Amino acid sequence: MENDLSMAEVPYCAVSYDIEVQVAPMYLPEESAPESGLHVFFYAMRILNHGDMSVAVQTRHFIIRDGNGIERSLEDAGMRGKPVWIEAGESETFSSYCPLPTACGSMRGFLWVEFSDGTEARVEVPVFFLRHQDHLSGEYGLYRSIG
């Protein structure tokens, strides 16, 4: 999917162990079928390594909550299904989708990382909200000035 969203001003951000996680979600009306209970959301995540060691994202863990309060877990290896190394001072961006049965929800979680010296840490992913009003052509919501 191609979009014009720049992550220069991301709405959600958390920093742990000199690793910054930025998230920008948006609703995809063209991929959704609300009348059938399908609401599709896209999110871009950028991981910035502000430390002086390289770091490998080993696994990612998310709790996804729909608008009814129903939660489900997602765990995956690294990013894109494999560990990803991020050098000191560098960043890595990936994107994914989250289908929900409701018009809103949220995601939260953490990344399990390993630093080049062998130490490991849990890096927080900020809680971010999945909402219909957050789409590129929206009059309201996070991206109203982009559309």
Side-chain angles (χ1 to χ4, degrees):
M1 182 196 132
E2 209 173 295
N3 66 58
D4 297 326
L5 177 62
S6 166
M7 291 191 68
E9 294 184 28
V10 294
Y12 302 102
C13 180
V15 180
S16 312
Y17 304 97
D18 290 327
I19 306 299
E20 181 177 1
V21 179
Q22 302 175 340
V23 184
M26 75 173 69
Y27 176 61
L28 298 177
E30 66 280 2
E31 303 293 329
S32 299
E35 66 284 351
S36 301
L38 176 64
H39 307 266
V40 179
F41 298 88
F42 165 89
Y43 62 94
M45 179 180 296
R46 181 166 49 200
I47 304 163
L48 300 97
N49 183 353
H50 298 296
D52 55 4
M53 289 187 281
S54 56
V55 63
V57 178
Q58 297 293 337
T59 58
R60 58 188 174 122
H61 306 261
F62 289 114
I63 302 294
I64 302 165
R65 176 182 285 196
D66 69 24
N68 295 321
I70 308 289
E71 291 186 345
R72 61 185 164 106
S73 297
L74 170 69
E75 183 176 329
D76 194 13
M79 310 307 275
R80 300 179 198 98
K82 62 182 180 181
V84 172
W85 280 95
I86 305 170
E87 298 300 321
E90 299 293 323
S91 67
E92 183 73 30
T93 302
F94 90 100
S95 60
S96 192
Y97 298 87
C98 180
L100 289 179
T102 59
C104 63
S106 66
M107 292 178 68
R108 67 185 189 281
F110 65 91
L111 307 173
W112 192 256
V113 301
E114 180 182 350
F115 293 93
S116 55
D117 69 355
T119 60
E120 296 182 347
R122 176 183 163 136
V123 172
E124 296 302 314
V125 172
V127 172
F128 58 98
F129 297 97
L130 307 169
R131 312 176 311 166
H132 272 207
Q133 65 262 39
D134 297 333
H135 59 91
L136 289 180
S137 61
E139 182 178 343
Y140 304 103
L142 296 172
Y143 310 110
R144 64 184 173 276
S145 62
I146 296 174

